[in-house]
Amino acid sequence: MDSNFSGCRAVLSPKAKSLFDSLLTHPDHNKRFDRLQVHAAKGQLPAFFPDLFRLEEAVGKVRKEVYTFPAVVKMMTINPSLNLIAVEWSGLDRLLTDSHAACSPEANTFIMIWRHPQNLHFQIQQATEAHLLALKMIAEGLNPEMIAQNEEVDIGLMDAALRQAVSDGIILSPPSAICRPQPITQHSDIAQEHLRAEVFTLQWHVTQACDLHCKHCYDRSRRDTMPLDRAITLLDEFRDFCRHRFVQGQVTFTGGNPLLYPHFAELYRATVARHIGVAILGNPAPRLQIEELISIAPPLFYQVSLEGLAAHNDYIRGTGHFARVIDFLALLKELGVYSMVMLTLTRENQSQVLPLAEILRDKVDLFTFNRLAMVGEGAKLQGPEIADYQQFLASYRSAAKNNPCMGLKDNLFNLQASGTTEPLFGGCAGHGCGAAFNFVSILADGEVHACRKFPSPIGNVFTTPFATIYDSQRATAYRQGSAACSDCHLRPLCGGCLAVTHGMGLDPLLARDPYCWQKITESSK
């Protein structure tokens, strides 16, 4: 495509090219186009040719124009480079680059031409209904909730249209407001992607009911079950929070066993309807129940737990549990659901981690572990030996290079990699410790915790709006993490584990993770 209309020329016969060349010499643009239409109506040019000409002409203008995009916008706005061309034929965007591409008559069709604001790449694409909806909402300042109500459709369709338009670059959006504070960012050259979260996760313990009684359970307290109408209200609060912070929302349902919540299917459906991602941390479930959820929308992942090889796992989680999990993983694979296995690392099962990973090699998509937080019934167990932990991480990381299911989760993997050729990664939550940063936990009675693995209450959604809780002084304190880590160059990707620190009798907001081997004299790098 160039100023000589190479795309137009490619679809013409030699005779039609000569006719087109003669028309291009006409000095009056409007009359030139009128004649194109006349010749197309007579069959001397393809019927779609006038639209193709207008489209390629617009392409040339966008290609020549130099666009400067603002570094930050304060509200969603339409990409200033966007040209929306109304045409009567579909497929013209493909026809410009492939003269054999098919096109067909279609009224009220639009082609979008723009430069992507992130990489300045030239883009051309036929607009979808979702694109046009997003552009209309922004151009006319329409309220998504009102449109959804008037059209009697799920509000999630509005949110999905806007998010896709931002991803495609036709709408500019403010950056995520979930960003690490200055005391953390100023000491590090960690990539921006780890300092600003694009997804916010609500780990929702919808019920305390559970069909297991594990020996390391951190909470067996009795709590009221959240009524469905109150749960729906919370979903709307969470959606509103994410919309105003410019992040994608995700709800990870857990418990107890979340599938034992009496209204689970309804709550799952309501979450999907709001364009909020859904995931499950639970126990093995019947095929029919999983198929019902998939019919609504496949979960982003389904995570189950194993605590070592069969004998030790069944000692912790109950007789026959290991075999049930293995069978359930096969079911998830058959149904196309991304599967995850989590292990709680203790002194007793540390030597079983690598053998278990070998068993899971072809059975699960992702296997990771968290260190034991000696909280609740878990206080009766022992965490891994501190003196051996650094070597254990090195052994695990080495094994992971040859086992595709083994993932890294513990923040201290970054400490183990620091100063070596091993790559750093996002840590526990993609941003180091994510407590009250890019996730919070909500219990069935509305209590909100920075992290569910230890008592870290920051409010209750029954009495305080969710956004107010997140912005509270208590939540901010957990977000900043331990003062002992504030000067460490790895802080954005680490911060240790607050739950482990608490479980070992220390103040998690003051003391370092006891497993951290970083020398104090090196922490100010």
Side-chain angles (χ1 to χ4, degrees), residues 273-291:
R274 286 157 177 77
H275 188 56
I276 297 173
V278 288
I280 299 173
L281 310 181
N283 301 332
R287 170 188 283 268
L288 288 178
Q289 196 167 17
I290 303 302
E291 288 179 337

Side-chain angles (χ1 to χ4, degrees), residues 48-61:
F48 57 78
F49 196 79
D51 275 351
L52 185 66
F53 174 81
R54 288 195 305 112
L55 180 60
E56 189 162 18
E57 189 174 48
V59 165
K61 291 180 180 179

Side-chain angles (χ1 to χ4, degrees), residues 5-320:
F5 296 95
S6 59
C8 287
R9 294 176 183 281
V11 303
L12 297 177
S13 66
K15 184 178 180 180
K17 282 181 184 179
S18 297
L19 174 60
F20 178 51
D21 287 340
S22 66
L23 293 174
L24 285 179
T25 62
H26 198 290
D28 188 315
H29 177 275
N30 291 331
K31 290 184 177 180
R32 177 173 55 188
F33 184 73
D34 289 342
R35 292 188 179 186
L36 280 176
Q37 291 182 304
V38 169
H39 287 292
K42 292 180 177 180
Q44 296 169 319
L45 293 172
F48 57 78
F49 196 79
D51 275 351
L52 185 66
F53 174 81
R54 288 195 305 112
L55 180 60
E56 189 162 18
E57 189 174 48
V59 165
K61 291 180 180 179
V62 173
R63 282 191 177 278
K64 291 177 181 179
E65 189 75 27
V66 177
Y67 295 96
T68 301
F69 295 97
V72 177
V73 295
K74 295 183 178 180
M75 58 186 297
M76 284 193 177
T77 184
I78 294 175
N79 185 327
S81 73
L82 178 67
N83 276 247
L84 199 61
I85 310 298
V87 295
E88 296 180 357
W89 291 77
S90 66
L92 295 180
D93 51 323
R94 297 187 300 273
L95 195 62
L96 278 182
T97 55
D98 179 3
S99 61
H100 299 292
C103 65
S104 57
E106 184 175 335
N108 302 320
T109 299
F110 293 87
I111 304 292
M112 304 183 299
I113 308 166
W114 75 104
R115 287 196 180 275
H116 199 286
Q118 294 180 356
N119 53 31
L120 300 182
H121 288 173
F122 176 82
Q123 309 280 332
I124 179 170
Q125 179 184 339
Q126 186 165 314
T128 65
E129 290 186 6
H131 286 135
L132 297 175
L133 173 62
L135 291 170
K136 183 178 179 66
M137 282 191 284
I138 299 303
E140 300 180 14
L142 301 179
N143 183 288
E145 291 84 355
M146 186 174 296
I147 295 177
Q149 184 176 2
N150 291 341
E151 299 296 327
E152 297 183 341
V153 297
D154 291 336
I155 184 61
L157 293 176
M158 309 297 111
D159 292 347
L162 287 169
R163 180 157 288 274
Q164 185 60 53
V166 170
S167 176
D168 290 341
I170 64 172
I171 289 178
L172 309 184
S173 172
S176 163
I178 307 300
C179 185
R180 287 295 188 189
Q182 277 299 315
I184 290 178
T185 59
Q186 67 186 6
H187 295 295
S188 176
D189 58 356
I190 302 298
Q192 284 295 313
E193 65 187 88
H194 296 304
L195 302 177
R196 192 181 297 274
E198 300 299 331
V199 177
F200 190 96
T201 299
L202 186 67
Q203 190 185 76
W204 196 346
H205 297 254
V206 292
T207 180
Q208 290 290 90
C210 190
D211 45 341
L212 302 176
H213 190 150
C214 304
K215 295 185 183 299
H216 60 355
C217 184
Y218 45 73
D219 184 8
R220 295 292 296 181
S221 63
R222 299 179 66 85
R223 296 178 185 267
D224 293 336
T225 297
M226 187 178 293
L228 180 60
D229 59 347
R230 187 61 189 84
I232 298 299
T233 299
L234 175 56
L235 271 181
D236 287 331
E237 276 192 62
F238 180 60
R239 173 192 164 267
D240 197 53
F241 170 87
C242 293
R243 187 167 67 91
H244 285 95
R245 309 293 168 119
F246 302 101
V247 291
Q248 171 64 50
Q250 176 181 314
V251 169
T252 298
F253 289 111
T254 185
N257 182 353
L259 273 65
L260 295 180
Y261 178 63
H263 313 292
F264 186 72
E266 295 96 320
L267 185 56
Y268 188 96
R269 187 185 305 276
T271 307
V272 170
R274 286 157 177 77
H275 188 56
I276 297 173
V278 288
I280 299 173
L281 310 181
N283 301 332
R287 170 188 283 268
L288 288 178
Q289 196 167 17
I290 303 302
E291 288 179 337
E292 179 186 9
L293 299 179
I294 292 174
S295 70
I296 300 170
L300 298 173
F301 61 83
Y302 195 120
Q303 178 179 297
V304 291
S305 295
L306 287 174
E307 308 307 336
L309 301 178
H312 180 76
N313 176 81
D314 289 2
Y315 166 73
I316 297 292
R317 290 190 168 264
T319 303

